[in-house]
Amino acid sequence: MSNRVQIYLCTSSYFDLPKFAPFIPIQGGAALNEPLPGILGDNSGDNISRLNPMYCEMSAMYWAWKNAPKTDYIGFFHYRRLFNFGSPLAPDAHWSERNFFDFKPETMARFGWDYETILKSIDGADIVMPHIEDVQRPPEWKEPGTLYEHYRNCHISRDINLTMQVIKELYPEYSAITEKVMGSNRGYFCHMYIMRWEYFQEYMQWLFDITMATTNRIDLSAPIYKFNAHERRVSGFIGERIINIWVEQKRHEGAKIMELERLFGHLPKEGFRASTPPTRKKFFVKKLDRAITIRLGDRQFTLGSAT
């Protein structure tokens, strides 16, 4: 059996993952943490492992871009977010209702998590994405919103503004599609995909050209990043949004886009590395570009506008 597809399962703390083809568990930020047992690290060869606090799962993507052997298809999932290659669970329900709870043999069989089923499912596609979603406007998540509004209300508005400017500077041919996509009320989330090798190579170059240029213009020593680990993940947040731009451009160029159901794993605590829970302030205010965002626990409220 030739190795035609490899799917990396990105993790930072969960290690009880399937370790057979096509799955390859990979630890993001391995250079900054104790190694997970039996898990590949993103800290060998050409890597940005130490930048994981900003780039999240993208540090593993960078490692694969620079070091992984060539295959027909390459993909990236999270340790608790995988595609369903079996029978749909709830095609008319919200993604949060489509769950799994372990990686037992019966679970693997139910969701088609084996080499032959996965390859058969994606064969012929150029890019495989999770089902596209309607964007809801935070913090109530009841009214339609745009991808731009979603980012501005969930994170720091000037960062997405800066990203859109960098795209126009580095890839001016993407200017029109950037405005269209960021103004859309539908989008792909979680930065997970499977792509043909050639598309992956192109996407990695485009993605890191933009995110690195953008991150280099952000003062990560500012209090909002320095003292808040969540907002310090800025590069990863940007990447999750702008993949929508790249995929839409490829769609216009004739790429065959496939969508599959996304599942969420409620995994047993025994599979996690023991660690001290991070302390996190329950209240903060950030003021940027005439917008004020207030976070109370897990809820966030934005007042004013940002340009």
Side-chain angles (χ1 to χ4, degrees), residues 188-255:
Y188 298 112
F189 287 91
C190 296
H191 209 175
M192 52 190 297
Y193 54 81
I194 303 173
M195 299 181 185
R196 290 193 186 274
W197 181 263
E198 294 75 14
Y199 280 87
F200 174 72
Q201 295 296 312
E202 179 183 342
Y203 175 55
M204 287 295 98
Q205 186 68 62
W206 184 89
L207 176 67
F208 283 103
D209 281 351
I210 294 165
T211 53
M212 285 184 168
T214 301
T215 306
N216 286 341
R217 299 186 193 183
I218 296 173
D219 181 9
L220 294 173
S221 66
I224 189 59
Y225 306 105
K226 185 176 181 180
F227 300 113
N228 189 293
H230 182 72
E231 294 303 340
R232 196 156 60 247
R233 297 163 61 186
V234 54
S235 310
F237 293 143
I238 290 170
E240 181 184 11
R241 294 340 191 274
I242 68 173
I243 190 175
N244 287 275
I245 298 170
W246 186 82
V247 169
E248 189 62 21
Q249 178 65 27
K250 295 303 109 178
R251 193 193 310 274
H252 279 274
E253 294 174 5

Side-chain angles (χ1 to χ4, degrees), residues 128-183:
V128 185
M129 299 293 291
H131 285 162
I132 199 164
E133 300 176 44
D134 294 330
V135 179
Q136 304 295 316
R137 184 182 291 117
E140 297 299 333
W141 309 101
K142 294 180 179 179
E143 299 295 327
T146 66
L147 279 171
Y148 176 81
E149 291 170 335
H150 187 278
Y151 192 99
R152 197 199 78 176
N153 284 277
C154 288
H155 306 296
I156 299 175
S157 57
R158 71 177 178 192
D159 294 339
I160 195 62
N161 296 332
L162 179 57
T163 302
M164 294 170 69
Q165 181 59 40
V166 168
I167 292 174
K168 292 176 182 178
E169 293 173 6
L170 298 183
Y171 292 90
E173 67 274 21
Y174 278 77
S175 294
I177 203 75
T178 295
E179 295 292 338
K180 176 184 176 182
V181 169
M182 295 310 297

Side-chain angles (χ1 to χ4, degrees), residues 3-271:
N3 184 17
R4 293 190 55 202
V5 55
Q6 53 187 332
I7 299 175
Y8 290 86
L9 303 178
C10 301
T11 181
S12 60
S13 59
Y14 193 82
F15 56 85
D16 191 17
L17 292 162
K19 300 178 178 66
F20 48 81
F23 297 116
I24 306 172
I26 183 169
Q27 180 182 4
L32 303 173
N33 298 284
E34 289 296 319
L36 293 173
I39 304 294
L40 173 71
D42 68 348
N43 57 336
S44 64
D46 188 350
N47 72 85
I48 58 168
S49 183
R50 291 188 176 277
L51 300 181
N52 177 265
M54 286 78 72
Y55 284 85
C56 308
E57 69 278 352
M58 287 169 54
S59 67
M61 295 179 191
Y62 185 96
W63 182 91
W65 178 32
K66 298 296 184 178
N67 301 284
K70 181 178 179 180
T71 54
D72 292 348
Y73 287 99
I74 183 169
F76 278 84
F77 296 168
H78 305 265
Y79 69 93
R80 59 181 179 184
R81 294 188 180 95
L82 284 77
F83 288 162
N84 181 6
F85 300 93
S87 299
L89 277 185
D92 298 323
H94 188 267
W95 67 266
S96 62
E97 300 175 36
R98 305 165 188 170
N99 302 314
F100 68 96
F101 300 89
D102 53 55
F103 291 103
K104 294 179 180 178
E106 53 268 31
T107 302
M108 303 292 289
R110 179 183 185 185
F111 299 125
W113 291 339
D114 65 84
Y115 181 92
E116 294 295 344
T117 300
I118 291 173
L119 185 58
K120 183 178 179 180
S121 298
I122 67 174
D123 203 20
D126 295 316
I127 302 168
V128 185
M129 299 293 291
H131 285 162
I132 199 164
E133 300 176 44
D134 294 330
V135 179
Q136 304 295 316
R137 184 182 291 117
E140 297 299 333
W141 309 101
K142 294 180 179 179
E143 299 295 327
T146 66
L147 279 171
Y148 176 81
E149 291 170 335
H150 187 278
Y151 192 99
R152 197 199 78 176
N153 284 277
C154 288
H155 306 296
I156 299 175
S157 57
R158 71 177 178 192
D159 294 339
I160 195 62
N161 296 332
L162 179 57
T163 302
M164 294 170 69
Q165 181 59 40
V166 168
I167 292 174
K168 292 176 182 178
E169 293 173 6
L170 298 183
Y171 292 90
E173 67 274 21
Y174 278 77
S175 294
I177 203 75
T178 295
E179 295 292 338
K180 176 184 176 182
V181 169
M182 295 310 297
S184 172
N185 58 10
R186 305 194 77 200
Y188 298 112
F189 287 91
C190 296
H191 209 175
M192 52 190 297
Y193 54 81
I194 303 173
M195 299 181 185
R196 290 193 186 274
W197 181 263
E198 294 75 14
Y199 280 87
F200 174 72
Q201 295 296 312
E202 179 183 342
Y203 175 55
M204 287 295 98
Q205 186 68 62
W206 184 89
L207 176 67
F208 283 103
D209 281 351
I210 294 165
T211 53
M212 285 184 168
T214 301
T215 306
N216 286 341
R217 299 186 193 183
I218 296 173
D219 181 9
L220 294 173
S221 66
I224 189 59
Y225 306 105
K226 185 176 181 180
F227 300 113
N228 189 293
H230 182 72
E231 294 303 340
R232 196 156 60 247
R233 297 163 61 186
V234 54
S235 310
F237 293 143
I238 290 170
E240 181 184 11
R241 294 340 191 274
I242 68 173
I243 190 175
N244 287 275
I245 298 170
W246 186 82
V247 169
E248 189 62 21
Q249 178 65 27
K250 295 303 109 178
R251 193 193 310 274
H252 279 274
E253 294 174 5
K256 296 178 181 178
I257 313 295
M258 176 185 293
E259 296 181 6
L260 291 174
E261 188 176 55
R262 184 175 77 232
L263 305 175
F264 184 83
H266 299 271
L267 298 171
K269 62 181 180 180
E270 291 79 11

